[in-house]
Amino acid sequence: MARVYNFSAGPAVLPEEVLKEAAEEMLDYRGCGMSVMEMSHRSKVFETIIQEAEADLRELMGIPDNYKVLFLQGGASQQFAMIPMNLMKNGVADYIITGQWAKKAYQEACLYGNAKAIASSADKTFSYIPDCSDLPIDEDADYVYICENNTIYGTKYKTLPNTKGKILVSDVSSCFLSEPVDVTRYGLIYGGVQKNIGPAGVVIVIIREDLITEDVLPQTPTMLRYKTHADAGSLYNTPPAYGIYICGKVFKWLKKKGGLTAMKEYNEKKAKILYDFLDGSKLFYGTVRKEDRSLMNVPFVTGNADLDAKFVSEAKAAGFENLKGHRSVGGMRASIYNAMPIEGVEKLTAFMKQFEAANL
Ligand SMILES: *Cc1c(COP(=O)(O)O)cnc(C)c1O
C-alpha cells in the first residue's frame, strides 16, 4: 500500500489513524456484528455515536449552550438556500463577495429576497479580503454573510467584518476546526465537512437558538427548516450516519492532538514552510495579498501555463497529487488541511526547489 500526499481541495486528506480505525471497525463495530453503515439510526449504538460527536465538537469549539449543532445533508450549497429561507425575516441580507462560493450564496439568496452585495474583491480576481470595517450595512439586514476561507482563491478573513450589530453568517467549509473560534460572534456558522473534517455528505450547522423559529419564508420545505432538525436532534429523517461517525472520529483525533489551539500552531508552521519558499522563489509565486493568506489553501503559479502543467504532471509522478489549481483560476493550489502532515509540505517544497533549479 502506498499513500500519496494528497493536496486536494476537497474531498480531501483525512487522518490516517482515523481511516485505519474505521477499517478495523468496518465489519463489526465494537461487538455489534455489523458496520455503522448497516445499523439503524434509531439504535442506542448510533445515538451514542452522534451524541459523542456533538459533545466533542462542542468541547473543541467551545460552543455555548444557546447554540444548536445540526448534522445535515445537501452540502454547503444547500445552505445557500436554507440560510435566506430561514433567516430573511425582513427580506434583506448583505453579502460580501470574496470568491465563487460567496457569489453563489449571494445569487441563491437573490431568489428569496433583497440580497445586496455590499463589498467585493472581484476587481483583483478575489486575491484579497476587502476592508470590512465600515461597510454600508442595510438597516433592515437580517444578516451579513461571509465566506471566511476562500478555498479557490486562498484568502482568509483575519478579522471579522464590523456588522454594525447585525447577525454574522459564515461559511467555514474550508477552515472548519483549523483554529480556535469565538462562536458568540456569529449567528450561524456552517460548513461542508469534506474539506477539513470528514467524508462528503455531511454539513454541520452551528446556529444560535433564537434564530431557529417557525417564522420562515412561505413554502419552505420541512426538510429545509432548521427547526425541523433542531427539534429532532438531527434525526428527523435518516442522517448521513456513516459520515457523522467518521466526523466523530476526527473530533477525537483533534482532541488528542491538543485541540484547536495546537492545530492552529501546527497549521501556521506548515503554511509558513510553503509561503516562505514561495516568497524566496525565482520561479513560483503566491497569488494572494500577504496579509490575507489562508493557512489551508495555497494557490501559486509560475506565470507560464505550460510550465504550470509540467509542474503538476511531474509532481503527480513524484507522489504529490491534486496540485492543479481550480479550473476557474488555473495554476497550482496546495490544500494543506489539518490532516496533511508537515512532512508532506516539507517534501513538496523540496520538490518545488528541484523543479525550480531544473526549469529556471
Ligand atoms: C467546497 C465549498 C462549498 C461547496 O460545498 P458542497 O458541499 O460541494 O456544496 C461551499 N463553500 C466553500 C467555502 C467550499 O470550500
Side-chain angles (χ1 to χ4, degrees):
M1 184 198 68
R3 300 248 315 150
V4 296
Y5 288 111
N6 179 7
F7 293 93
S8 170
V13 58
L14 287 171
E16 220 164 274
E17 291 103 296
V18 166
L19 296 176
K20 280 186 180 146
E21 216 179 274
E24 277 161 24
E25 292 174 348
M26 181 61 78
L27 295 181
D28 176 9
Y29 178 73
R30 301 187 187 174
C32 292
M34 63 177 90
S35 150
V36 173
M37 263 183 250
E38 302 170 296
M39 64 178 59
S40 165
H41 59 292
R42 310 271 175 215
S43 64
K44 265 269 162 294
V45 178
F46 186 73
E47 210 172 274
T48 306
I49 289 172
I50 192 170
Q51 283 169 2
E52 261 185 44
E54 177 173 342
D56 287 334
L57 180 63
R58 283 185 176 278
E59 188 184 325
L60 279 168
M61 291 180 73
I63 301 173
D65 288 343
N66 64 325
Y67 284 75
K68 289 272 190 202
V69 174
L70 309 175
F71 296 97
L72 308 178
Q73 304 192 52
S77 300
Q78 181 157 287
Q79 294 307 308
F80 299 169
M82 261 178 103
I83 288 161
M85 286 176 138
N86 284 269
L87 302 186
M88 264 191 176
K89 320 280 184 197
N90 297 329
V92 183
D94 288 335
Y95 280 72
I96 301 172
I97 314 297
T98 51
Q100 271 197 32
W101 296 120
K103 194 168 156 196
K104 282 189 172 161
Y106 161 72
Q107 286 167 336
E108 190 72 10
C110 289
L111 300 175
Y112 300 103
N114 182 9
K116 300 182 168 179
I118 55 167
S120 167
S121 51
D123 60 333
K124 290 183 180 153
T125 337
F126 301 117
S127 59
Y128 70 103
I129 299 288
D131 177 4
C132 298
S133 56
D134 185 19
L135 295 171
I137 310 274
D138 195 294
E139 252 178 50
D140 290 329
D142 292 301
Y143 58 87
V144 176
Y145 183 101
I146 62 169
C147 178
E148 203 159 323
N149 185 81
N150 295 280
T151 325
I152 297 171
Y153 304 93
T155 59
K156 162 98 194 333
Y157 284 81
K158 302 296 160 80
T159 44
L160 293 175
N162 172 6
T163 63
K164 303 185 179 172
K166 302 299 180 192
I167 292 156
L168 182 63
V169 171
S170 180
D171 174 358
V172 297
S173 293
S174 50
C175 59
F176 225 158
L177 304 182
S178 63
E179 59 180 56
V181 286
D182 178 359
V183 175
T184 63
R185 303 209 41 202
Y186 304 81
L188 190 157
I189 306 176
Y190 79 95
V193 304
Q194 74 273 23
K195 308 285 160 69
N196 207 17
I197 303 181
V202 183
V203 56
I204 297 175
V205 174
I206 300 158
I207 178 172
R208 217 174 63 202
E209 247 165 16
D210 60 290
L211 301 175
I212 306 171
T213 66
E214 314 230 12
D215 175 25
V216 297
L217 297 190
Q219 328 256 307
T220 299
T222 307
M223 274 293 287
L224 298 189
R225 297 168 187 237
Y226 291 124
K227 192 160 191 322
T228 301
H229 300 285
D231 287 352
S234 301
L235 295 170
Y236 170 73
N237 70 328
T238 319
Y242 195 80
I244 293 168
Y245 154 78
I246 299 290
C247 290
K249 285 199 183 299
V250 172
F251 300 153
K252 291 205 188 294
W253 177 80
L254 285 167
K255 280 170 65 178
K256 214 169 69 192
K257 289 267 166 194
L260 302 192
T261 305
M263 218 56 232
K264 182 179 191 202
E265 271 172 38
Y266 190 64
N267 288 330
E268 281 174 344
K269 206 167 130 190
K270 248 186 330 191
K272 188 174 187 307
I273 296 170
L274 193 46
Y275 283 126
D276 281 353
F277 171 74
L278 289 172
D279 290 344
S281 171
K282 290 192 181 67
L283 181 66
F284 298 100
Y285 60 95
T287 53
V288 168
R289 185 165 77 181
K290 279 188 187 172
E291 57 267 38
D292 301 325
R293 284 171 164 176
S294 164
L295 292 180
M296 299 281 101
N297 311 99
V298 183
F300 56 94
V301 295
T302 63
N304 171 335
D306 293 337
L307 204 52
D308 286 353
K310 184 174 181 221
F311 174 77
V312 170
S313 120
E314 288 185 13
K316 184 177 165 69
F320 305 101
E321 291 262 0
N322 293 313
L323 281 165
K324 197 168 186 289
H326 190 270
R327 59 189 187 279
S328 66
V329 291
M332 281 75 72
R333 171 179 51 174
S335 294
I336 50 174
Y337 296 119
N338 285 345
M340 171 57 66
I342 203 157
E343 303 81 58
V345 177
E346 285 165 350
K347 286 183 183 163
L348 172 65
T349 310
F351 179 80
M352 288 167 75
K353 231 173 249 171
Q354 274 177 27
F355 185 89
E356 177 169 333
N359 291 277
L360 205 57

